[in-house]
Amino acid sequence: KPITIQSTAASDDRRKDIESILKAVFDANGGAVFFQDLAVLGAVYGFVDCIVRTSGSLAARLANLTSDGTSPITPPLTVDSILRAAGEISLEPIDAPRALPVLEETDYKRMAAYVQHFHQLCNRPDDNDSFITKLFGGPAAGSQRKTIAVTEILAADAWQRYEDGHLAAEGVNPLGRVPLVHIPNLPQPGYYEGISDVEQLLPLQDELNTRLSDRASRITMQSFKMYLAKGLDGMDGRPISPGQIWCTDNPDATIESFGGDAASPSEDLHIAEVREAMDKCSGVTPVVAGVLKNKLGNLSSAVALKMTFMGMLSKTYRKQLTYGQGIKDICKMTLELLDKANVFKTDLNERDIEVIFPSPIEEL
């Protein structure tokens, strides 16, 4: 189920208008896919940053701000015009490897500037068509897309964009602060980064991969059984295949098999313990993942189910707090941009919203 964003404005009409504007903003940026991107990036890297940008006519309005930071007085816009302007707000989740937040020296919670560096593919072929490139680049060397190195600097009062080391664009930041919302996955005191869901599982996953690789190697080397015949005459030249019958008058004759993949209880126990440790570290129990293994028991009430899923539920509720606050900050920054552009005027109280997450377990 999707999340629900509700305005806390006093008037019913204002609440409906604000909710429709915020819905238009998120729909223009992918809707549910945008929220999933936030969750995935945050779970992998421990945090996710979201840059709030403007484009089109909305960016032009903000560029024409007066000296006191307000937009010139313009005729009131229609509802459709306001929704179109809201759709020109871009929400860009940032991958952690390309981000460099510049924090205040005395307070890691305050951001002085934000820098990101990445390589961007252009919609034109690479113009590097020298003889050496064609010789060593293969038949497709002349049709490669051009790649540029982009460095973007966001500060409280201005922003700049560099392409291959050259200044490509710059402008004034109308908000008066870095237009970025920082969302930690699971906050840790004293650090800008949050706690990743993946990083703590890497050593255990490496150990599990090693043990499974050892098992696969042993199965490969010992997958063929061999047979030792005792007391049978003429066995050296007879083929061994399904359906073969041997007869003998020797009551002490035997055929023994050896080799193959013999049982290894200690190895099975070690692999099971590693997997159980991964479940505990991740907080995702096998029951949550759909693997019951006769561990569910006789659960006939919602309270019993909650006790079984307690670890996963507590982790989910903690994430709802952090991601919910991040979504609130994105909505406030969006409404502030529309207010400064004189598109949709709001005061501070009207920018407060509530983010309602669906319940992980339906009440019985």
Side-chain angles (χ1 to χ4, degrees):
K1 295 181 180 179
I3 64 174
T4 303
I5 298 177
Q6 293 183 352
S7 172
T8 60
S11 172
D12 292 339
D13 294 336
R14 294 290 288 179
R15 284 199 299 269
K16 292 180 181 179
D17 293 340
I18 292 174
E19 291 172 3
S20 61
I21 290 174
L22 294 177
K23 184 178 184 302
V25 172
F26 288 116
D27 288 345
N29 288 274
V33 177
F34 168 75
F35 297 116
Q36 291 177 359
D37 291 343
L38 292 181
V40 171
L41 292 175
V44 173
Y45 296 113
F47 71 96
V48 58
D49 295 329
C50 180
I51 297 179
V52 182
R53 305 180 186 272
T54 58
S55 61
S57 61
L58 183 60
R61 279 175 167 267
L62 292 173
N64 295 328
L65 293 179
T66 59
S67 58
D68 58 353
T70 59
S71 179
I73 298 177
T74 57
L77 299 178
T78 62
V79 176
D80 293 338
S81 300
I82 295 175
L83 295 179
R84 282 196 300 269
E88 294 175 347
I89 296 178
S90 174
L91 307 177
E92 180 184 355
I94 304 299
D95 293 340
R98 72 183 195 184
L100 178 61
V102 182
L103 308 179
E104 296 286 350
E105 295 181 353
T106 57
D107 188 359
Y108 72 94
K109 297 180 181 179
R110 299 177 63 87
M111 185 178 299
Y114 192 83
V115 182
Q116 64 166 332
H117 179 79
F118 59 96
H119 290 83
Q120 177 178 323
L121 291 175
C122 302
N123 293 330
R124 61 181 185 273
D126 193 353
D127 54 2
N128 187 10
D129 55 353
S130 63
F131 173 76
I132 300 298
T133 303
K134 293 181 178 180
L135 180 62
F136 294 99
S143 60
Q144 296 291 332
R145 292 177 62 182
K146 183 176 179 59
T147 303
I148 59 175
V150 178
T151 302
E152 189 174 19
I153 304 174
L154 303 176
D157 54 352
W159 60 270
Q160 291 181 333
R161 177 185 173 93
Y162 293 86
E163 296 180 357
D164 290 334
H166 302 285
L167 181 62
E170 62 180 344
V172 178
N173 184 6
L175 289 177
R177 64 181 187 276
V178 179
L180 179 134
V181 175
H182 173 67
I183 306 176
N185 184 51
L186 293 173
Q188 52 180 342
Y191 291 91
Y192 178 83
E193 304 84 1
I195 300 176
S196 170
D197 293 343
V198 178
E199 184 178 3
Q200 56 188 346
L201 299 177
L202 293 179
L204 293 173
Q205 185 64 54
D206 291 340
E207 175 66 18
L208 180 61
N209 292 341
T210 302
R211 299 285 78 81
L212 294 178
S213 178
D214 293 343
R215 171 183 284 184
S217 177
R218 190 185 70 251
I219 292 175
T220 302
M221 301 301 295
Q222 301 179 0
S223 59
F224 299 100
K225 287 187 176 182
M226 292 179 287
Y227 299 90
L228 177 62
K230 297 180 181 179
L232 294 176
D233 298 331
M235 288 295 297
D236 53 346
R238 301 184 62 179
I240 297 177
S241 61
Q244 290 289 337
I245 300 176
W246 296 280
C247 299
T248 181
D249 296 332
N250 185 0
D252 297 328
T254 59
I255 298 178
E256 300 176 359
S257 64
F258 61 94
D261 183 26
S264 180
S266 60
E267 182 185 56
D268 295 338
L269 180 60
H270 179 64
I271 292 177
E273 289 177 347
V274 172
R275 286 176 171 169
E276 186 175 354
M278 293 181 66
D279 294 337
K280 291 181 179 179
C281 289
S282 64
V284 182
T285 61
V287 176
V288 176
V291 183
L292 299 182
K293 293 183 179 180
N294 298 325
K295 295 182 179 180
L296 193 58
N298 297 322
L299 302 180
S300 58
S301 66
V303 176
L305 286 175
K306 286 184 178 180
M307 293 299 295
T308 304
F309 300 149
M310 184 62 69
M312 188 64 189
L313 289 175
S314 61
K315 189 173 184 178
T316 301
Y317 292 146
R318 291 175 62 190
K319 287 189 175 185
Q320 287 179 357
L321 290 177
T322 56
Y323 286 90
Q325 184 60 45
I327 295 173
K328 290 180 182 180
D329 294 339
I330 292 174
C331 293
K332 290 181 180 179
M333 191 172 294
T334 298
L335 294 175
E336 185 178 355
L337 284 173
L338 295 175
D339 177 77
K340 285 186 173 295
N342 202 23
V343 173
F344 185 77
K345 304 298 290 184
T346 54
D347 54 30
L348 292 177
N349 295 329
E350 290 180 331
R351 297 171 194 166
D352 292 333
I353 65 166
E354 292 293 337
V355 180
I356 301 176
F357 291 89
S359 175
I361 295 183
E362 296 293 340
E363 296 291 343
L364 299 180

